[in-house]
Amino acid sequence: MIGGWEDIRAEVLRRISTQEWPAGVLIPTEEALAQEFGCARATVSRALRELAQAGVVERRRKAGTRVAVLPVRRATLEIPVIRQEVQARGQAHGFQLLRAERLAPPVPVASRLGLAAQDPLWYLETLHLADGQPFVFETRWLNPAILPAVMPDFTALSVNEWLVKNVSYASGDIAFSAAGATAREAEVLGVAAGAALFITERSTWRAEAAITFVRLAHAPGYRVQTVV
Amino acid sequence: MIGGWEDIRAEVLRRISTQEWPAGVLIPTEEALAQEFGCARATVSRALRELAQAGVVERRRKAGTRVAVLPVRRATLEIPVIRQEVQARGQAHGFQLLRAERLAPPVPVASRLGLAAQDPLWYLETLHLADGQPFVFETRWLNPAILPAVMPDFTALSVNEWLVKNVSYASGDIAFSAAGATAREAEVLGVAAGAALFITERSTWRAEAAITFVRLAHAPGYRVQTVV
DNA sequence: CTCGGCATTATGTGCAGACATAATATCTTC
DNA sequence: GAAGATATTATGTCTGCACATAATGCCGAG
């Protein structure tokens, strides 16, 4: 059967991709489309809202809906927990806590978390393994204020997973980049110094309070992939 | 004022992040929540649908809504056109078409596009500049079947932009990785061979027909960033 | 006890109507 | 003609109702 909001979304997308409605032009109002398709305005609204979320059209009150001039495609990436990512490849996950100490953070880290550089934070180095091979080297700065009185045993449960279980659904930002392996990264991952590594950096807050900053140096060959 | 779907979403998120509703448990039905918040079921439904899209809860008919056990965060990346990306930094965009010829694609490219390796494709090399400095080196394989009889003038309009204007809103996939600069990439970008480069690879289809495969080698320092 | 069909139930979608909101367009005044 | 007040209008949201859909879990036949 036809007429659902998904069909309407598909039809509108078709008219846009065939240039029937070229980039930049106003498309008919919800009411006009509802009449054309013989459905309620809410149904058209739902379809157009989804297209707006995908970046295909831009909507503004009173101004109407227009085809996006610059098709800024939005891709959604899934950011899984490392253990899960390893297991999804059919490999066994393991990890070693290489270092855990209190240190004053370097200035870039402190500023990114919005903390004074003198405040000592927990500094943790963890190496994650896939089938015993180095998979990703995690260096993490952790705000001690968010930890309970007794420090959890991070040799048994990875910091990552402790965090998602205990301070989950915080907000933050992620950045991806490439960098040559530092001496330490080369040593731990077993690659040559300067080898191209995929780097994920993530900082996390909860209600204005900084929680953690983590840098993941992935072993060579790592890719992050998604469909558009 | 309170009571909108965004407030309900926030309240549900609060109950989840404070473990009032721990991971894995069923939360009350839409109807129950609607009664509690004194609103219509559709309003609760809207809030929960958004949370499901964000990966915070999982919903199944009849089974109900439960807090996601493994918080697979979803981050949305914006994939702009290169010119726009350069201009957003306040820099001037320019580009040079370095090569344009018909070649049989190497096997990995052909297989990724689902074409026979013998079919010659267009092979295009473009260097994008930001304020005259190398910004990204684009190597592209283009299916000639989708081009018009007369080849567009890609020295005036970048291939990228010709594509988004003419075969926009196709589907495809994107992958990010890191790799050492090849000899050619090092030469064109003006970096040392083996320098760590951020690589974006993208293949595009339209209705089962392969359109293009493009590899972007970004100049050092490039980051892709988003909020969660 | 096991297997298969059926009733139950929470979500998914749709409709018609209403009011809120924001931005544009128009009108008024100087 | 320019600046500010006002009317208009398309989208944003909500309500209350209805039916569709897909699992679940119960129940009965074997």
Side-chain angles (χ1 to χ4, degrees):
Chain A
M1 209 49 195
I2 62 161
W5 68 268
E6 289 187 288
D7 296 294
I8 293 176
R9 179 184 58 180
E11 172 60 14
V12 171
L13 189 56
R14 190 192 64 74
R15 293 188 187 179
I16 290 173
S17 60
T18 60
Q19 320 254 336
E20 196 170 326
W21 290 340
V25 305
L26 276 175
I27 73 174
T29 68
E30 293 186 345
E31 202 144 2
L33 288 174
Q35 204 155 3
E36 179 192 342
F37 293 126
C39 67
R41 183 172 79 94
T43 308
V44 174
S45 191
R46 174 80 188 271
L48 293 182
R49 191 200 315 143
E50 300 275 333
L51 286 172
Q53 273 183 356
V56 175
V57 298
E58 288 165 4
R59 322 192 70 197
R60 267 162 54 222
R61 278 179 166 133
K62 163 73 180 176
T65 302
R66 62 179 64 241
V67 180
V69 216
L70 35 98
V72 190
R73 300 290 290 192
R74 294 198 181 93
T76 63
L77 292 184
E78 306 222 328
I79 318 285
V81 174
I82 292 171
R83 177 177 55 74
Q84 194 195 339
E85 194 170 6
V86 171
Q87 290 172 346
R89 302 174 167 221
Q91 299 182 300
H93 174 250
F95 71 94
Q96 302 165 357
L97 183 64
L98 301 182
R99 194 179 291 183
E101 53 189 317
R102 292 192 70 149
L103 279 181
V107 173
V109 171
S111 72
R112 209 165 150 174
L113 287 175
L115 298 172
Q118 301 90 313
D119 304 342
L121 303 180
W122 278 106
Y123 174 68
L124 303 160
E125 286 186 352
T126 307
L127 176 66
H128 293 264
L129 305 166
D131 278 351
Q133 294 300 308
F135 181 70
V136 55
F137 177 49
E138 168 185 323
T139 52
R140 182 183 294 270
W141 296 89
L142 187 56
N143 188 346
I146 63 109
L147 285 175
V150 287
M151 172 101 167
D153 178 15
F154 288 138
T155 59
L157 179 72
S158 86
V159 191
N160 198 344
E161 301 205 35
W162 185 87
L163 284 170
V164 299
K165 285 217 171 69
N166 291 276
V167 289
S168 57
Y169 301 115
S171 59
D173 61 75
I174 303 185
F176 303 104
S177 58
T182 63
R184 176 79 176 137
E185 285 164 353
E187 175 198 347
V188 169
L189 290 172
V191 299
L197 299 182
F198 190 86
I199 306 291
T200 302
E201 288 174 324
R202 194 169 170 180
S203 37
T204 309
W205 289 269
R206 168 133 106 182
E208 307 301 309
I211 297 178
T212 188
F213 171 79
V214 61
R215 172 189 166 99
L216 301 176
H218 297 270
Y222 182 80
R223 299 163 65 82
V224 40
Q225 196 160 354
T226 189
V227 284
V228 175
Chain B
M1 207 53 193
I2 62 163
W5 67 268
E6 288 186 291
D7 296 295
I8 294 176
R9 180 185 57 180
E11 172 61 15
V12 171
L13 189 56
R14 190 192 64 75
R15 293 187 187 178
I16 290 173
S17 60
T18 60
Q19 319 253 334
E20 195 171 325
W21 291 340
V25 305
L26 277 175
I27 74 174
T29 68
E30 293 185 347
E31 202 144 3
L33 289 174
Q35 204 156 4
E36 179 191 343
F37 293 125
C39 67
R41 183 171 80 93
T43 307
V44 174
S45 190
R46 173 80 189 270
L48 293 182
R49 192 199 316 142
E50 299 275 332
L51 287 173
Q53 272 183 356
V56 175
V57 298
E58 287 165 6
R59 322 192 69 198
R60 267 161 54 221
R61 279 178 166 134
K62 162 73 179 176
T65 302
R66 63 179 65 241
V67 181
V69 216
L70 36 98
V72 190
R73 299 291 291 192
R74 294 198 182 91
T76 64
L77 292 184
E78 306 221 329
I79 318 285
V81 174
I82 293 171
R83 176 176 56 76
Q84 194 195 341
E85 193 169 7
V86 170
Q87 290 172 346
R89 303 173 165 221
Q91 299 182 298
H93 174 250
F95 70 95
Q96 301 164 359
L97 183 64
L98 301 181
R99 194 179 291 183
E101 53 190 317
R102 293 192 70 149
L103 279 180
V107 173
V109 171
S111 72
R112 210 165 148 173
L113 286 175
L115 298 172
Q118 302 90 312
D119 304 343
L121 303 180
W122 277 105
Y123 174 68
L124 303 160
E125 287 186 353
T126 308
L127 177 65
H128 293 264
L129 305 167
D131 277 352
Q133 296 297 310
F135 181 70
V136 54
F137 177 49
E138 168 185 323
T139 52
R140 182 184 293 272
W141 296 88
L142 186 57
N143 188 345
I146 63 107
L147 285 175
V150 287
M151 172 102 168
D153 178 16
F154 289 139
T155 59
L157 178 74
S158 86
V159 191
N160 199 343
E161 302 204 35
W162 183 86
L163 284 170
V164 298
K165 285 216 170 70
N166 291 275
V167 288
S168 57
Y169 302 115
S171 60
D173 61 74
I174 303 185
F176 303 104
S177 58
T182 64
R184 175 79 175 139
E185 285 164 352
E187 175 198 347
V188 169
L189 290 172
V191 300
L197 299 182
F198 190 86
I199 307 290
T200 303
E201 287 174 324
R202 194 168 169 184
S203 37
T204 309
W205 289 269
R206 168 135 107 181
E208 307 301 310
I211 296 177
T212 187
F213 171 79
V214 61
R215 172 189 167 101
L216 302 176
H218 297 270
Y222 182 80
R223 298 163 64 82
V224 40
Q225 198 161 356
T226 189
V227 285
V228 176

